[in-house]
Amino acid sequence: MNIIYAIDLLGTMVFAISGAMAGHRKGIDIFGSTFMAFVTAIGGGSLRDIFLNIRPVWVEDGNYLLAIFFGVFISVIANKQLYSLAKTFTLFDAIGIGFFTVVGTQKSLDYESSSIAAIMLGMFSAAMGGVIRDVLINETPLILRKEIYASACLSGALLFVLLNYWNFDNGWNAFISASLVFLIRIISVKYNLSLPVVEMKKEEQL
Amino acid sequence: MNIIYAIDLLGTMVFAISGAMAGHRKGIDIFGSTFMAFVTAIGGGSLRDIFLNIRPVWVEDGNYLLAIFFGVFISVIANKQLYSLAKTFTLFDAIGIGFFTVVGTQKSLDYESSSIAAIMLGMFSAAMGGVIRDVLINETPLILRKEIYASACLSGALLFVLLNYWNFDNGWNAFISASLVFLIRIISVKYNLSLPVVEMKKEEQL
Amino acid sequence: MNIIYAIDLLGTMVFAISGAMAGHRKGIDIFGSTFMAFVTAIGGGSLRDIFLNIRPVWVEDGNYLLAIFFGVFISVIANKQLYSLAKTFTLFDAIGIGFFTVVGTQKSLDYESSSIAAIMLGMFSAAMGGVIRDVLINETPLILRKEIYASACLSGALLFVLLNYWNFDNGWNAFISASLVFLIRIISVKYNLSLPVVEMKKEEQL
């Protein structure tokens, strides 16, 4: 349990750093950047919990907010070093979304969502923080652009639910499913892969 | 009960088709279009349920998500045919918002919202999915543009609450109120009607 | 209790006026402006209540929605006079966010959030309505621009939680903390103050 909790806080911090950096890049003040960090780190899990009709974990456990402030602090004092770490960041982010996907899917199943909703909500946990962040700064959300990001999460959540259904060992299931998210994400970045688009005559309006 | 459930799934599917088509038109990949379908079909009802502090129906009943996937599937295989059906679609959409308005208003009253909140939440059920969809793709939401859409829903919800207050037969009430939404929507599209705007000196800022 | 309730309704109305005026300025129809009024007045508190997993107060108490409609009505009949009152409005708004910050922080503590979450949620209560409003009309939210607004709320919420922790008299605490919000806001508007931005090389992308 303790290691899960530690990874959860660490993942929250990494997401907070990425949110705060997006704010700094946009020339947003330190308060706004902290808000962006918060939204990025907390948004996905909160949305999952709201749909499950339970209280998001950060409302009662202050450590999550402290992890976010610590992430913002790092983004301020180390912003120049962080730029040269872009590749490392993609790596950490890929680990992070793998982890959050598995944790989110498990939590949804624990709170008796249907299997198919658990897959959606697992993906939401990992990917929706970034969507809300992008909407706030008026950019088209990542999820609607060509990169493979949320679909990597979805694949992992699907695998997790399937293996769970077949009574596969839970620890191994978590590890394998998170690894699948990680691998799909890393491979798609490395080879610049994307999903197909349905062709339409764009001049026509429905 | 069974016919309500069937119409509810059908309405969800129609909304999903319209969301997915909006995605295809924007050149969004198949995953993003599915996400758009989900948001359009589920957004309004989920928001209503979140305000009522109950769990959205799709979290436990997987059929709603299946209806959405089926809608996306149709939007992919039949996207050319669907274009020539634009008028039919406006028709279906008008039926859909009538139905969702009535169902949403009834559900809000069932869960002991005030009458005035039930009217708002009934309108939300039908119209907010499209608002969230538009915000995601960075367009000014329909509700803030000149077309009569959400206000048609509001009229129907108002009528439903009034007739309900006067102990009018529930089945007839549902039929009449949904028809009102349908008629206002269809007539306003046909005659290109819009609501008045309050004139302001636009150069001044408050 | 009664005076708190009256101020709460009054604050809701003032926020509704400001939301409706934003709608009129954008050339949005009367329905859309009412929607904007609703979102601005109700958005922050509703978000706080959703995170606390309780039902927003306006769902059961219709007076809040009536206060909003009354605010919209005022914005329509008195829109020319309201322009010449811009300064008065900044004043009222500053009183409003002070009040909503304190009420929101207190409510969060009452519902057993952590202290640090109560500070966040107190700020949310006052500032998030405007954020949602700005997202809807496709503008960069106030919270992400240079003005000191949400950070004033945050300071007040922080002070309230600290004084509360030290068992300071609740009435005086509320008054002092709300005054802090008011003063920071008014002084920052008068002297055009802003928070620092973390410098980054903007051409680089993480």
Side-chain angles (χ1 to χ4, degrees):
Chain A
M1 199 58 189
N2 265 7
I3 196 157
I4 299 282
Y5 185 61
I7 299 179
D8 208 17
L9 288 177
L10 198 71
T12 302
M13 195 192 71
V14 171
F15 272 28
I17 293 178
S18 117
M21 301 279 288
H24 302 332
R25 265 204 310 279
K26 280 261 169 181
I28 292 166
D29 71 32
I30 184 67
F31 179 87
S33 295
T34 305
F35 181 70
M36 298 271 292
F38 173 79
V39 160
T40 311
I42 291 291
S46 296
L47 200 63
R48 176 202 59 217
D49 291 348
I50 288 168
F51 284 137
L52 292 174
N53 203 19
I54 57 178
R55 193 183 269 205
V57 69
W58 60 267
V59 174
E60 278 169 15
D61 181 349
N63 289 340
Y64 287 88
L65 293 175
L66 291 178
I68 291 171
F69 294 139
F70 194 62
V72 173
F73 180 69
I74 291 177
S75 81
V76 171
I77 58 161
N79 80 72
K80 286 197 178 70
Q81 292 81 338
L82 283 168
Y83 265 124
S84 46
L85 287 172
K87 268 191 186 165
T88 320
F89 235 135
T90 304
L91 213 73
F92 271 117
D93 188 70
I95 297 173
I97 59 173
F99 178 75
F100 279 140
T101 300
V102 164
V103 168
T105 311
Q106 178 71 68
K107 190 169 184 181
S108 304
L109 290 174
D110 288 349
Y111 282 90
E112 297 179 344
S113 75
S114 73
S115 300
I116 193 169
I119 297 169
M120 293 271 327
L121 292 172
M123 180 271 279
F124 270 33
S125 311
M128 286 302 284
V131 170
I132 304 171
R133 179 197 61 207
D134 292 342
V135 166
L136 281 175
I137 55 175
N138 245 328
E139 286 190 353
T140 304
L142 195 63
I143 210 173
L144 300 181
R145 280 178 271 152
K146 297 248 173 72
E147 250 178 290
I148 289 178
Y149 191 89
S151 33
C153 302
L154 199 72
S155 315
L158 178 63
L159 181 64
F160 186 84
V161 165
L162 284 177
L163 293 180
N164 186 68
Y165 183 76
W166 294 326
N167 291 312
F168 203 79
D169 175 76
N170 207 47
W172 278 104
N173 185 1
F175 179 73
I176 292 172
S177 301
S179 302
L180 180 68
V181 176
F182 175 80
L183 287 174
I184 294 180
R185 174 65 183 154
I186 291 295
I187 290 171
S188 78
V189 167
K190 192 168 169 65
Y191 295 101
N192 210 4
L193 303 178
S194 63
L195 293 175
V197 174
V198 177
E199 286 298 326
M200 299 208 115
K201 291 168 258 171
K202 278 186 196 147
E203 69 279 10
E204 291 192 68
Q205 288 291 323
L206 191 59
Chain B
M1 197 60 189
N2 264 8
I3 196 157
I4 298 283
Y5 185 61
I7 299 179
D8 207 17
L9 288 177
L10 198 70
T12 302
M13 196 192 70
V14 171
F15 273 27
I17 293 177
S18 117
M21 302 279 287
H24 301 333
R25 266 204 309 279
K26 281 262 168 181
I28 292 167
D29 71 31
I30 185 67
F31 179 86
S33 295
T34 306
F35 181 70
M36 299 271 293
F38 173 79
V39 161
T40 310
I42 291 291
S46 297
L47 201 63
R48 176 201 59 218
D49 291 347
I50 288 168
F51 283 137
L52 292 173
N53 202 18
I54 58 177
R55 191 182 270 205
V57 69
W58 59 267
V59 173
E60 277 169 16
D61 181 349
N63 289 340
Y64 287 87
L65 293 175
L66 292 177
I68 292 171
F69 294 139
F70 193 63
V72 173
F73 181 69
I74 290 176
S75 82
V76 172
I77 58 162
N79 81 72
K80 285 195 179 74
Q81 293 81 338
L82 284 169
Y83 266 125
S84 47
L85 287 173
K87 269 191 184 165
T88 320
F89 235 136
T90 304
L91 213 74
F92 270 118
D93 187 70
I95 297 173
I97 58 173
F99 178 76
F100 280 140
T101 300
V102 164
V103 169
T105 311
Q106 178 71 68
K107 190 169 184 182
S108 304
L109 290 174
D110 289 348
Y111 283 90
E112 297 179 345
S113 76
S114 73
S115 300
I116 193 169
I119 297 168
M120 292 272 326
L121 292 172
M123 179 270 279
F124 269 33
S125 311
M128 285 301 284
V131 171
I132 304 172
R133 177 196 62 207
D134 292 343
V135 165
L136 281 175
I137 55 175
N138 244 330
E139 286 189 354
T140 304
L142 195 63
I143 210 172
L144 301 179
R145 279 177 272 152
K146 298 248 173 71
E147 249 178 291
I148 289 178
Y149 191 89
S151 34
C153 303
L154 199 72
S155 314
L158 178 63
L159 181 64
F160 185 85
V161 166
L162 285 177
L163 293 181
N164 186 68
Y165 183 76
W166 294 326
N167 291 312
F168 203 80
D169 174 77
N170 207 49
W172 279 104
N173 185 0
F175 178 74
I176 292 171
S177 301
S179 302
L180 180 68
V181 176
F182 175 80
L183 286 175
I184 294 180
R185 174 64 184 155
I186 290 294
I187 290 170
S188 78
V189 168
K190 192 168 170 65
Y191 296 101
N192 209 5
L193 303 178
S194 62
L195 293 174
V197 174
V198 178
E199 285 298 326
M200 298 208 115
K201 292 168 257 170
K202 275 183 200 153
E203 68 279 10
E204 290 193 67
Q205 287 291 322
L206 190 61
Chain C
M1 197 58 188
N2 263 8
I3 196 159
I4 299 283
Y5 185 62
I7 299 179
D8 208 17
L9 288 177
L10 198 71
T12 302
M13 195 192 71
V14 172
F15 273 28
I17 293 177
S18 118
M21 301 278 288
H24 302 333
R25 267 205 308 280
K26 280 262 169 180
I28 292 167
D29 71 33
I30 184 67
F31 179 86
S33 295
T34 306
F35 181 69
M36 298 271 294
F38 173 79
V39 161
T40 310
I42 291 290
S46 296
L47 200 63
R48 175 202 60 217
D49 291 348
I50 288 168
F51 283 138
L52 292 173
N53 202 18
I54 57 178
R55 194 183 269 205
V57 69
W58 59 267
V59 174
E60 277 168 17
D61 181 350
N63 288 341
Y64 287 87
L65 293 175
L66 292 177
I68 292 171
F69 294 139
F70 193 63
V72 173
F73 180 69
I74 291 176
S75 81
V76 171
I77 58 161
N79 81 71
K80 286 198 178 69
Q81 292 82 338
L82 284 169
Y83 266 123
S84 47
L85 287 173
K87 268 190 186 167
T88 320
F89 234 135
T90 304
L91 214 75
F92 271 118
D93 187 70
I95 297 172
I97 59 173
F99 177 76
F100 279 140
T101 299
V102 164
V103 168
T105 311
Q106 177 71 69
K107 189 168 185 182
S108 304
L109 289 174
D110 289 348
Y111 282 91
E112 298 180 342
S113 76
S114 72
S115 300
I116 193 168
I119 297 169
M120 292 272 327
L121 293 172
M123 180 271 278
F124 270 32
S125 311
M128 286 300 285
V131 171
I132 304 172
R133 178 196 62 207
D134 292 343
V135 166
L136 281 175
I137 55 174
N138 245 328
E139 286 189 354
T140 304
L142 196 63
I143 210 173
L144 300 180
R145 280 177 272 152
K146 297 249 173 71
E147 250 178 291
I148 290 179
Y149 191 89
S151 34
C153 303
L154 199 72
S155 315
L158 178 63
L159 181 64
F160 185 85
V161 165
L162 284 177
L163 293 180
N164 185 69
Y165 183 76
W166 295 326
N167 291 312
F168 203 80
D169 174 77
N170 207 48
W172 279 104
N173 185 359
F175 178 74
I176 293 172
S177 301
S179 302
L180 180 68
V181 176
F182 175 79
L183 286 174
I184 294 180
R185 174 64 183 153
I186 291 295
I187 290 171
S188 77
V189 168
K190 193 169 170 63
Y191 295 101
N192 209 5
L193 304 177
S194 64
L195 293 174
V197 173
V198 178
E199 285 298 327
M200 298 208 117
K201 292 167 258 169
K202 279 188 194 143
E203 69 279 9
E204 290 193 66
Q205 287 291 323
L206 191 60

